[in-house]
Amino acid sequence: MKKMKFTWILFVSATFLILQSCATEEFESEVLEKDLEIEDTDDKRPEVSRSNSNLIIEWSDMLLELDRQATGMRPNATARALAYIHLATYETVVVNMNGYTSNSARLDGLTINRAPRNIDPLIALNACYARVLDHFIYNVPENSSRAIRGLEVRKERELSSRLSRRLVQDSKRWGQYIASTIIDYSKTDIAAEEQILAPQPTSYEPPVGAGFWTYSAAQERALFPYWSEVRTFVISPEETTSVPPVDQYSAAPESGYYQQMLEVYDVSTKAAAENNDDLWIAEFWSDDVEGLMMSPPGRQISIASQIIDEYNLDLQESLVLLLKLGFSLNDAAVSTWDDKYKYMVMRPNVYIQEYINADYQTNLFKFIYWPNPSFPGYPSGHSSFASAAAGLFIDLVGDATDFTDNSHKGTTEFLGTPRQFASFSEMAEENAFSRIPLGVHIRMDCTEGLRLGYEISNAVNALNLSDNNSL
């Protein structure tokens, strides 16, 4: 009898606890639903504020550290990754941005569901950044995913204060959904997906001809020789102007070609001997060395992040700038590599060693055991990336500036002391022609790369993000 009474008491107690728990959960659910219903009755979505660009800067810092450590991506796969990363971040928040629309109707094959009304843009953006960085920046140290997750958790904790659990979870799911959608969209570009797995394909053999570029034993194979087939976002290689080299290959000392090679030899050897400003410029803009420096396209993200901070750009302005910058860098890589493997212009050190000084080495050689990047010289990729970015900066804030590039501030492994510029066009020009004292490009490579990059940035500047028929 006592046992039955005790069992009954336990049953009653357990039933009470279950009912109490259910009541509590129902109450919490009602509170969350009430909060959401209140937000749903407001036709105006929460707008982004000026202070919120700090989240972008923090994630950009993470991106640049991953970019520095990544192997086998630069520069082409990196430029492509930056386009998709910033397409995803833009699409995550565009529903909260005044006057801007999704790219889903601009980009063939991209479909995005309608966003729920109750989304906190910063929580969603934070979740999106974590997902796309973990996917698109590959060949990084094993602890990179943990670092990404650590930043995501820390920022979520900061941003979710005083927000309902339901709102936080819905916002995270939206950011993750957009990230997954953009990742899936990127995989439909089969040409790129195949090439990032085999950036130096054995199927490619460079054509043979007088003055033609070819790879050395140290370089193994040509890098990204089929990159012209990769998806573009605004302007394709067929739509850009392809300008043949102004000087054709010649071994004659009086020829323009020889004189361009001689300039590289004179400037680069003097820079090394005197440790002068030209060497500072060469190393400051190099960005060739994996594990030590960020990539050339990544460098433009570093500059953009500094512009966001210096010019106090709000979240909306920042997302638009980075979207356009990603598009511009991607399209610059595709058109530049199309021309590189069309014109097959050789690198200076090969010519100089044959006709000027057999013992010549570039100023890059002390950092990398092979003397040149593993692809033809004309046009210069650094130069096209420089102007593909500078054209956007100029369109946004004007050319005149008092800008100091702190991308390598504090470094001791190379000459990375910050440099100051009075205009963004001056900065782009210095970046472009820094390849001469480094010893890896002749002048016409840099001139054409600079021209091509501005052609691409002009097309991107004309992109009307408020009109789905803008392309």
Side-chain angles (χ1 to χ4, degrees), residues 92-335:
T92 299
V93 184
V94 67
V95 71
N96 299 93
M97 293 163 55
N98 287 327
Y100 292 94
T101 57
S102 169
N103 289 281
S104 57
R106 301 184 189 98
L107 300 176
D108 186 33
L110 176 61
T111 302
I112 297 176
N113 294 337
R114 182 179 180 182
R117 178 160 299 281
N118 300 290
I119 295 297
D120 180 86
L122 296 184
I123 295 289
L125 184 60
N126 186 57
C128 178
Y129 261 121
R131 179 78 175 90
V132 291
L133 261 63
D134 198 39
H135 175 82
F136 285 109
I137 309 298
Y138 54 90
N139 292 348
V140 290
E142 292 182 0
N143 63 351
S144 295
S145 292
R146 188 163 61 252
I148 292 171
R149 178 59 179 160
L151 178 58
E152 179 188 16
V153 170
R154 178 171 64 83
K155 295 308 299 182
E156 181 184 321
R157 188 180 298 118
E158 293 175 9
L159 296 168
S160 60
S161 175
R162 301 173 66 181
L163 298 180
S164 70
R165 286 183 298 166
R166 174 73 177 275
L167 180 57
V168 171
Q169 290 304 312
D170 285 351
S171 300
K172 287 175 61 177
R173 280 194 289 268
W174 173 249
Q176 292 164 352
Y177 160 74
I178 291 294
S180 296
T181 299
I182 299 304
I183 289 170
D184 289 343
Y185 174 63
S186 74
K187 292 177 180 178
T188 63
D189 183 6
I190 305 301
E193 290 292 304
E194 291 178 347
Q195 290 183 69
I196 63 177
L197 294 176
Q200 294 178 294
T202 57
S203 62
Y204 179 82
E205 284 293 340
V208 177
F212 277 20
W213 173 89
T214 189
Y215 57 85
S216 67
Q219 291 169 315
E220 297 179 354
R221 308 290 300 186
L223 188 63
F224 297 117
Y226 306 122
W227 202 253
S228 62
E229 302 168 5
V230 167
R231 172 187 287 148
T232 53
F233 292 89
V234 177
I235 186 168
S236 68
E238 293 74 26
E239 296 169 310
T240 57
T241 308
S242 182
V243 178
V246 293
D247 288 317
Q248 298 300 313
Y249 173 79
S250 173
E254 67 275 12
S255 69
Y257 196 90
Y258 183 99
Q259 292 301 312
Q260 289 203 47
M261 292 292 183
L262 184 62
E263 178 190 21
V264 173
Y265 175 73
D266 289 341
V267 172
S268 62
T269 53
K270 182 179 180 181
E274 298 180 359
N275 192 23
N276 59 18
D277 281 356
D278 280 339
L279 187 65
W280 177 17
I281 290 171
E283 294 188 12
F284 181 79
W285 289 109
S286 169
D287 299 329
D288 291 289
V289 187
E290 294 175 347
L292 182 62
M293 307 164 178
M294 62 192 72
S295 69
R299 179 63 171 274
Q300 301 307 322
I301 297 296
S302 172
I303 292 170
S305 183
Q306 294 173 72
I307 290 172
I308 289 170
D309 184 47
E310 182 171 327
Y311 284 84
N312 196 27
L313 302 186
D314 64 27
L315 184 66
Q316 177 169 302
E317 293 167 327
S318 302
L319 290 170
V320 171
L321 170 61
L322 291 171
L323 172 75
K324 289 185 173 182
L325 182 55
F327 284 177
S328 195
L329 293 171
N330 176 86
D331 293 3
V334 177
S335 281

Side-chain angles (χ1 to χ4, degrees), residues 213-469:
W213 173 89
T214 189
Y215 57 85
S216 67
Q219 291 169 315
E220 297 179 354
R221 308 290 300 186
L223 188 63
F224 297 117
Y226 306 122
W227 202 253
S228 62
E229 302 168 5
V230 167
R231 172 187 287 148
T232 53
F233 292 89
V234 177
I235 186 168
S236 68
E238 293 74 26
E239 296 169 310
T240 57
T241 308
S242 182
V243 178
V246 293
D247 288 317
Q248 298 300 313
Y249 173 79
S250 173
E254 67 275 12
S255 69
Y257 196 90
Y258 183 99
Q259 292 301 312
Q260 289 203 47
M261 292 292 183
L262 184 62
E263 178 190 21
V264 173
Y265 175 73
D266 289 341
V267 172
S268 62
T269 53
K270 182 179 180 181
E274 298 180 359
N275 192 23
N276 59 18
D277 281 356
D278 280 339
L279 187 65
W280 177 17
I281 290 171
E283 294 188 12
F284 181 79
W285 289 109
S286 169
D287 299 329
D288 291 289
V289 187
E290 294 175 347
L292 182 62
M293 307 164 178
M294 62 192 72
S295 69
R299 179 63 171 274
Q300 301 307 322
I301 297 296
S302 172
I303 292 170
S305 183
Q306 294 173 72
I307 290 172
I308 289 170
D309 184 47
E310 182 171 327
Y311 284 84
N312 196 27
L313 302 186
D314 64 27
L315 184 66
Q316 177 169 302
E317 293 167 327
S318 302
L319 290 170
V320 171
L321 170 61
L322 291 171
L323 172 75
K324 289 185 173 182
L325 182 55
F327 284 177
S328 195
L329 293 171
N330 176 86
D331 293 3
V334 177
S335 281
T336 299
W337 260 250
D338 181 56
D339 283 347
K340 279 181 179 291
Y341 286 99
K342 178 186 297 180
Y343 298 116
M344 297 300 294
V345 173
M346 70 192 313
R347 294 284 180 164
N349 77 297
V350 177
Y351 185 97
I352 292 170
Q353 289 173 354
E354 183 172 357
Y355 296 109
I356 301 174
N357 184 343
D359 296 325
Y360 175 75
Q361 291 291 356
T362 72
N363 286 323
L364 181 59
F365 185 68
K366 63 183 177 182
F367 298 109
I368 300 178
Y369 67 87
W370 61 85
N372 284 309
S374 303
F375 37 81
Y378 179 93
S380 158
H382 269 69
S383 306
S384 62
F385 292 136
S387 50
L392 304 181
F393 303 152
I394 292 168
D395 184 69
L396 179 65
V397 297
D399 192 15
T401 187
D402 181 16
F403 180 76
T404 300
D405 184 3
N406 290 292
S407 293
H408 298 309
K409 186 176 182 179
T411 187
T412 57
E413 296 90 344
F414 59 94
L415 298 175
T417 305
R419 292 184 62 80
Q420 188 172 9
F421 303 96
S423 68
F424 291 113
S425 56
E426 174 199 352
M427 181 173 65
E429 184 173 349
E430 181 179 283
N431 183 353
F433 292 101
S434 70
R435 308 302 277 173
I436 295 175
L438 193 65
V440 298
H441 280 287
I442 55 179
R443 182 166 292 274
M444 70 179 185
D445 300 347
C446 308
T447 301
E448 173 55 15
L450 203 63
R451 185 209 64 78
L452 178 60
Y454 276 124
E455 181 178 358
I456 290 165
S457 62
N458 287 340
V460 176
N461 281 328
L463 178 64
N464 181 5
L465 292 171
S466 65
D467 178 4
N468 283 337
N469 297 314

